[in-house]
Amino acid sequence: GSAQKQKTKNKKTRTRREKKKSALLEMDEAKEVLDRMDKQRFEQEQKELRSATESHNCFVNEFRKRRKDHIFALAKAKAKGKAKAKAAPKVLPRAIEQREAKQWIPLAPSSIWMSNTREAWCAHVEPHKRISCSWAVYGSSQHALEDVLCKMWAQHFQRSGDGPETCKFDYAGTLKRLESLELGSAGGAGSSS
């Protein structure tokens, strides 16, 4: 009897140990799969972070260069004791891509970008609120870009005290063209949204 009970007890103990071992093996396998998935997600997040960091660094370098050039030009004009020569007003090209749009914005801490999800041109001139102009309102990306540029320059004029003659394009002509589209309240360049 006693030997029989010992065999049954040993058998139950072995069964419990085997179940525990089996459960531990399944947990290790699950951990490996989970770790692989986490590793992939981590690598993807690292890649996105690297890309965002590179983009930020590119923006910072471009901004510093433009700021340095602007300060140098002001110092040079001041040293000569002459006002900066006024260039003939430039007309905005008919089709502008985002990277080309940057050359038309004020030098102050400002940025411009195209929002494909909102289908709008967006901009920010510090310390003012961000502005955007929807393509749908204007019927084209070009008119929305012209309006957002005019709004940016209006904010720049307000902040700096400069006049429209400091604009990099024909500010007054662009405003007239936008007003001729009869866009109502959405087309005024003096307002910001």
Side-chain angles (χ1 to χ4, degrees):
S2 164
Q4 184 66 24
K5 284 183 183 179
Q6 188 62 32
K7 282 183 179 180
T8 306
K9 188 176 179 183
N10 287 342
K11 189 176 182 181
K12 285 182 182 178
T13 305
R14 270 186 267 145
T15 306
R16 282 188 204 136
R17 280 188 208 141
E18 289 172 359
K19 284 182 181 177
K20 284 182 181 178
K21 283 183 182 179
S22 175
L24 287 173
L25 287 174
E26 289 174 10
M27 287 177 61
D28 285 342
E29 290 172 1
K31 186 178 175 185
E32 280 184 27
V33 171
L34 183 62
D35 287 345
R36 242 183 286 134
M37 291 170 59
D38 285 343
K39 184 178 179 183
Q40 289 172 348
R41 188 175 339 123
F42 178 73
E43 288 173 352
Q44 180 64 27
E45 288 175 1
Q46 274 188 325
K47 186 177 179 182
E48 290 171 1
L49 180 63
R50 270 190 239 111
S51 175
T53 303
E54 287 176 17
S55 176
H56 174 74
N57 290 340
C58 182
F59 171 79
V60 167
N61 291 337
E62 180 182 338
F63 173 78
R64 286 181 180 156
K65 182 182 180 287
R66 289 178 68 194
R67 180 78 177 160
K68 183 180 174 184
D69 292 345
H70 178 68
I71 290 171
F72 178 75
L74 288 175
K76 187 176 178 182
K78 190 175 184 180
K80 289 182 179 179
K82 298 177 183 177
K84 289 174 71 175
K86 294 181 183 177
K90 297 181 182 177
V91 178
L92 290 170
R94 284 289 90 202
I96 301 177
E97 293 184 24
Q98 182 176 357
R99 64 184 122 89
E100 296 167 345
K102 290 180 182 180
Q103 72 180 348
W104 301 100
I105 65 176
L107 287 178
S110 58
S111 57
I112 189 166
W113 64 97
M114 189 184 318
S115 173
N116 289 326
T117 54
R118 293 178 54 205
E119 294 187 337
W121 279 97
C122 305
H124 186 217
V125 178
E126 293 181 9
H128 299 285
K129 291 183 178 180
R130 292 179 180 192
I131 52 177
S132 66
C133 298
S134 173
W135 306 339
V137 172
Y138 299 94
S140 77
S141 171
Q142 179 65 29
H143 293 303
L145 172 62
E146 289 174 357
D147 194 29
V148 84
L149 285 170
C150 285
K151 288 178 181 180
M152 287 181 78
W153 279 95
Q155 288 180 344
H156 173 74
F157 300 150
Q158 182 183 11
R159 191 191 80 246
S160 68
D162 293 341
E165 66 278 354
T166 61
C167 186
K168 294 181 180 181
F169 58 90
D170 181 14
Y171 180 77
T174 304
L175 275 180
K176 285 179 186 173
R177 187 171 48 255
L178 288 171
E179 289 170 359
S180 72
L181 295 173
E182 297 177 2
L183 296 173
S185 63
S191 65
S192 64
S193 43

mmCIF file of all heavy atoms in Angstrom, residues 124-148:
data_model
loop_
_atom_site.group_PDB
_atom_site.id
_atom_site.type_symbol
_atom_site.label_atom_id
_atom_site.label_comp_id
_atom_site.label_asym_id
_atom_site.label_seq_id
_atom_site.Cartn_x
_atom_site.Cartn_y
_atom_site.Cartn_z
ATOM 1 N N HIS A 124 3.999 79.809 -40.080
ATOM 2 C CA HIS A 124 4.114 80.354 -38.732
ATOM 3 C C HIS A 124 5.190 81.430 -38.734
ATOM 4 O O HIS A 124 6.308 81.194 -39.165
ATOM 5 C CB HIS A 124 4.484 79.242 -37.742
ATOM 6 C CG HIS A 124 4.486 79.695 -36.317
ATOM 7 N ND1 HIS A 124 5.396 79.250 -35.408
ATOM 8 C CD2 HIS A 124 3.690 80.559 -35.656
ATOM 9 C CE1 HIS A 124 5.161 79.818 -34.234
ATOM 10 N NE2 HIS A 124 4.129 80.628 -34.363
ATOM 11 N N VAL A 125 4.813 82.609 -38.296
ATOM 12 C CA VAL A 125 5.745 83.710 -38.097
ATOM 13 C C VAL A 125 5.698 84.006 -36.598
ATOM 14 O O VAL A 125 4.671 84.430 -36.081
ATOM 15 C CB VAL A 125 5.344 84.973 -38.899
ATOM 16 C CG1 VAL A 125 6.314 86.119 -38.626
ATOM 17 C CG2 VAL A 125 5.285 84.667 -40.382
ATOM 18 N N GLU A 126 6.798 83.721 -35.923
ATOM 19 C CA GLU A 126 6.816 83.932 -34.470
ATOM 20 C C GLU A 126 6.744 85.416 -34.163
ATOM 21 O O GLU A 126 7.313 86.216 -34.901
ATOM 22 C CB GLU A 126 8.088 83.325 -33.875
ATOM 23 C CG GLU A 126 8.110 81.826 -33.972
ATOM 24 C CD GLU A 126 9.367 81.222 -33.365
ATOM 25 O OE1 GLU A 126 10.142 81.946 -32.717
ATOM 26 O OE2 GLU A 126 9.562 80.013 -33.544
ATOM 27 N N PRO A 127 6.064 85.865 -33.166
ATOM 28 C CA PRO A 127 5.337 85.156 -32.108
ATOM 29 C C PRO A 127 3.853 84.990 -32.407
ATOM 30 O O PRO A 127 3.077 84.695 -31.517
ATOM 31 C CB PRO A 127 5.540 86.094 -30.915
ATOM 32 C CG PRO A 127 5.483 87.458 -31.530
ATOM 33 C CD PRO A 127 6.148 87.307 -32.874
ATOM 34 N N HIS A 128 3.448 85.186 -33.647
ATOM 35 C CA HIS A 128 2.029 85.129 -34.011
ATOM 36 C C HIS A 128 1.520 83.691 -34.073
ATOM 37 O O HIS A 128 2.292 82.737 -34.101
ATOM 38 C CB HIS A 128 1.813 85.802 -35.380
ATOM 39 C CG HIS A 128 2.209 87.244 -35.393
ATOM 40 N ND1 HIS A 128 1.466 88.230 -34.817
ATOM 41 C CD2 HIS A 128 3.308 87.859 -35.906
ATOM 42 C CE1 HIS A 128 2.063 89.391 -34.977
ATOM 43 N NE2 HIS A 128 3.192 89.195 -35.634
ATOM 44 N N LYS A 129 0.193 83.565 -34.139
ATOM 45 C CA LYS A 129 -0.423 82.242 -34.275
ATOM 46 C C LYS A 129 -0.145 81.684 -35.662
ATOM 47 O O LYS A 129 0.091 82.432 -36.612
ATOM 48 C CB LYS A 129 -1.941 82.335 -34.072
ATOM 49 C CG LYS A 129 -2.348 82.665 -32.667
ATOM 50 C CD LYS A 129 -3.857 82.672 -32.552
ATOM 51 C CE LYS A 129 -4.279 82.964 -31.122
ATOM 52 N NZ LYS A 129 -5.735 82.973 -30.989
ATOM 53 N N ARG A 130 -0.232 80.378 -35.765
ATOM 54 C CA ARG A 130 -0.057 79.734 -37.068
ATOM 55 C C ARG A 130 -1.220 80.099 -37.977
ATOM 56 O O ARG A 130 -2.328 80.334 -37.517
ATOM 57 C CB ARG A 130 0.013 78.213 -36.903
ATOM 58 C CG ARG A 130 1.269 77.786 -36.200
ATOM 59 C CD ARG A 130 1.319 76.304 -36.016
ATOM 60 N NE ARG A 130 2.566 75.965 -35.332
ATOM 61 C CZ ARG A 130 3.019 74.749 -35.214
ATOM 62 N NH1 ARG A 130 2.356 73.739 -35.701
ATOM 63 N NH2 ARG A 130 4.151 74.526 -34.595
ATOM 64 N N ILE A 131 -0.953 80.092 -39.262
ATOM 65 C CA ILE A 131 -1.986 80.410 -40.246
ATOM 66 C C ILE A 131 -2.031 79.299 -41.284
ATOM 67 O O ILE A 131 -1.052 78.577 -41.490
ATOM 68 C CB ILE A 131 -1.718 81.766 -40.934
ATOM 69 C CG1 ILE A 131 -0.297 81.827 -41.502
ATOM 70 C CG2 ILE A 131 -1.953 82.908 -39.984
ATOM 71 C CD1 ILE A 131 0.025 83.091 -42.249
ATOM 72 N N SER A 132 -3.194 79.159 -41.911
ATOM 73 C CA SER A 132 -3.315 78.173 -42.977
ATOM 74 C C SER A 132 -4.327 78.667 -44.003
ATOM 75 O O SER A 132 -5.217 79.443 -43.683
ATOM 76 C CB SER A 132 -3.743 76.811 -42.417
ATOM 77 O OG SER A 132 -5.044 76.885 -41.891
ATOM 78 N N CYS A 133 -4.150 78.200 -45.225
ATOM 79 C CA CYS A 133 -5.049 78.558 -46.319
ATOM 80 C C CYS A 133 -5.361 77.286 -47.099
ATOM 81 O O CYS A 133 -4.471 76.671 -47.687
ATOM 82 C CB CYS A 133 -4.409 79.607 -47.225
ATOM 83 S SG CYS A 133 -4.069 81.150 -46.374
ATOM 84 N N SER A 134 -6.625 76.915 -47.101
ATOM 85 C CA SER A 134 -7.054 75.682 -47.745
ATOM 86 C C SER A 134 -7.084 75.817 -49.259
ATOM 87 O O SER A 134 -7.489 76.841 -49.799
ATOM 88 C CB SER A 134 -8.450 75.304 -47.243
ATOM 89 O OG SER A 134 -8.956 74.213 -47.955
ATOM 90 N N TRP A 135 -6.666 74.741 -49.923
ATOM 91 C CA TRP A 135 -6.696 74.732 -51.382
ATOM 92 C C TRP A 135 -8.127 74.763 -51.885
ATOM 93 O O TRP A 135 -8.418 75.343 -52.927
ATOM 94 C CB TRP A 135 -6.010 73.489 -51.932
ATOM 95 C CG TRP A 135 -4.626 73.278 -51.431
ATOM 96 C CD1 TRP A 135 -3.785 74.208 -50.890
ATOM 97 C CD2 TRP A 135 -3.895 72.059 -51.421
ATOM 98 N NE1 TRP A 135 -2.594 73.639 -50.544
ATOM 99 C CE2 TRP A 135 -2.633 72.318 -50.861
ATOM 100 C CE3 TRP A 135 -4.182 70.768 -51.834
ATOM 101 C CZ2 TRP A 135 -1.671 71.330 -50.704
ATOM 102 C CZ3 TRP A 135 -3.220 69.790 -51.684
ATOM 103 C CH2 TRP A 135 -1.982 70.075 -51.131
ATOM 104 N N ALA A 136 -9.038 74.130 -51.157
ATOM 105 C CA ALA A 136 -10.434 74.028 -51.589
ATOM 106 C C ALA A 136 -11.076 75.415 -51.682
ATOM 107 O O ALA A 136 -11.871 75.676 -52.591
ATOM 108 C CB ALA A 136 -11.221 73.147 -50.628
ATOM 109 N N VAL A 137 -10.744 76.303 -50.762
ATOM 110 C CA VAL A 137 -11.325 77.643 -50.757
ATOM 111 C C VAL A 137 -10.900 78.407 -52.003
ATOM 112 O O VAL A 137 -11.672 79.161 -52.586
ATOM 113 C CB VAL A 137 -10.895 78.408 -49.483
ATOM 114 C CG1 VAL A 137 -11.321 79.867 -49.539
ATOM 115 C CG2 VAL A 137 -11.471 77.735 -48.253
ATOM 116 N N TYR A 138 -9.669 78.200 -52.443
ATOM 117 C CA TYR A 138 -9.108 78.966 -53.542
ATOM 118 C C TYR A 138 -9.208 78.256 -54.884
ATOM 119 O O TYR A 138 -8.954 78.854 -55.907
ATOM 120 C CB TYR A 138 -7.642 79.291 -53.249
ATOM 121 C CG TYR A 138 -7.507 80.122 -52.007
ATOM 122 C CD1 TYR A 138 -7.263 79.536 -50.778
ATOM 123 C CD2 TYR A 138 -7.657 81.495 -52.057
ATOM 124 C CE1 TYR A 138 -7.158 80.303 -49.635
ATOM 125 C CE2 TYR A 138 -7.557 82.269 -50.920
ATOM 126 C CZ TYR A 138 -7.306 81.669 -49.709
ATOM 127 O OH TYR A 138 -7.213 82.422 -48.592
ATOM 128 N N GLY A 139 -9.498 76.987 -54.850
ATOM 129 C CA GLY A 139 -9.585 76.240 -56.096
ATOM 130 C C GLY A 139 -8.234 75.764 -56.599
ATOM 131 O O GLY A 139 -8.165 75.013 -57.560
ATOM 132 N N SER A 140 -7.155 76.230 -55.964
ATOM 133 C CA SER A 140 -5.832 75.768 -56.373
ATOM 134 C C SER A 140 -4.850 75.957 -55.224
ATOM 135 O O SER A 140 -5.022 76.819 -54.366
ATOM 136 C CB SER A 140 -5.327 76.523 -57.603
ATOM 137 O OG SER A 140 -4.870 77.809 -57.243
ATOM 138 N N SER A 141 -3.819 75.162 -55.274
ATOM 139 C CA SER A 141 -2.749 75.262 -54.283
ATOM 140 C C SER A 141 -2.005 76.585 -54.432
ATOM 141 O O SER A 141 -1.566 77.171 -53.450
ATOM 142 C CB SER A 141 -1.797 74.083 -54.451
ATOM 143 O OG SER A 141 -0.654 74.243 -53.673
ATOM 144 N N GLN A 142 -1.864 77.073 -55.655
ATOM 145 C CA GLN A 142 -1.105 78.293 -55.926
ATOM 146 C C GLN A 142 -1.729 79.507 -55.241
ATOM 147 O O GLN A 142 -1.049 80.285 -54.603
ATOM 148 C CB GLN A 142 -1.000 78.531 -57.442
ATOM 149 C CG GLN A 142 -0.256 79.794 -57.812
ATOM 150 C CD GLN A 142 1.210 79.781 -57.408
ATOM 151 O OE1 GLN A 142 1.816 78.727 -57.342
ATOM 152 N NE2 GLN A 142 1.767 80.937 -57.132
ATOM 153 N N HIS A 143 -3.048 79.679 -55.374
ATOM 154 C CA HIS A 143 -3.703 80.838 -54.760
ATOM 155 C C HIS A 143 -3.651 80.738 -53.238
ATOM 156 O O HIS A 143 -3.490 81.750 -52.553
ATOM 157 C CB HIS A 143 -5.147 80.972 -55.245
ATOM 158 C CG HIS A 143 -5.250 81.306 -56.706
ATOM 159 N ND1 HIS A 143 -4.649 82.421 -57.259
ATOM 160 C CD2 HIS A 143 -5.868 80.673 -57.721
ATOM 161 C CE1 HIS A 143 -4.907 82.454 -58.559
ATOM 162 N NE2 HIS A 143 -5.642 81.398 -58.870
ATOM 163 N N ALA A 144 -3.785 79.528 -52.715
ATOM 164 C CA ALA A 144 -3.678 79.343 -51.263
ATOM 165 C C ALA A 144 -2.276 79.720 -50.790
ATOM 166 O O ALA A 144 -2.107 80.359 -49.752
ATOM 167 C CB ALA A 144 -4.000 77.894 -50.887
ATOM 168 N N LEU A 145 -1.264 79.343 -51.559
ATOM 169 C CA LEU A 145 0.115 79.692 -51.211
ATOM 170 C C LEU A 145 0.310 81.210 -51.240
ATOM 171 O O LEU A 145 0.911 81.789 -50.328
ATOM 172 C CB LEU A 145 1.102 79.029 -52.171
ATOM 173 C CG LEU A 145 2.563 79.471 -52.035
ATOM 174 C CD1 LEU A 145 3.108 79.136 -50.658
ATOM 175 C CD2 LEU A 145 3.413 78.841 -53.113
ATOM 176 N N GLU A 146 -0.201 81.861 -52.274
ATOM 177 C CA GLU A 146 -0.067 83.312 -52.358
ATOM 178 C C GLU A 146 -0.707 83.983 -51.150
ATOM 179 O O GLU A 146 -0.148 84.919 -50.581
ATOM 180 C CB GLU A 146 -0.701 83.823 -53.652
ATOM 181 C CG GLU A 146 0.087 83.464 -54.895
ATOM 182 C CD GLU A 146 -0.622 83.850 -56.186
ATOM 183 O OE1 GLU A 146 -1.767 84.360 -56.132
ATOM 184 O OE2 GLU A 146 -0.034 83.643 -57.257
ATOM 185 N N ASP A 147 -1.887 83.503 -50.751
ATOM 186 C CA ASP A 147 -2.564 84.115 -49.614
ATOM 187 C C ASP A 147 -1.801 83.877 -48.310
ATOM 188 O O ASP A 147 -1.652 84.774 -47.500
ATOM 189 C CB ASP A 147 -3.999 83.604 -49.499
ATOM 190 C CG ASP A 147 -4.823 84.452 -48.547
ATOM 191 O OD1 ASP A 147 -4.542 85.660 -48.415
ATOM 192 O OD2 ASP A 147 -5.736 83.911 -47.906
ATOM 193 N N VAL A 148 -1.296 82.660 -48.110
ATOM 194 C CA VAL A 148 -0.561 82.388 -46.872
ATOM 195 C C VAL A 148 0.727 83.219 -46.839
ATOM 196 O O VAL A 148 1.135 83.710 -45.784
ATOM 197 C CB VAL A 148 -0.307 80.878 -46.659
ATOM 198 C CG1 VAL A 148 0.915 80.381 -47.382
ATOM 199 C CG2 VAL A 148 -0.148 80.560 -45.178
#
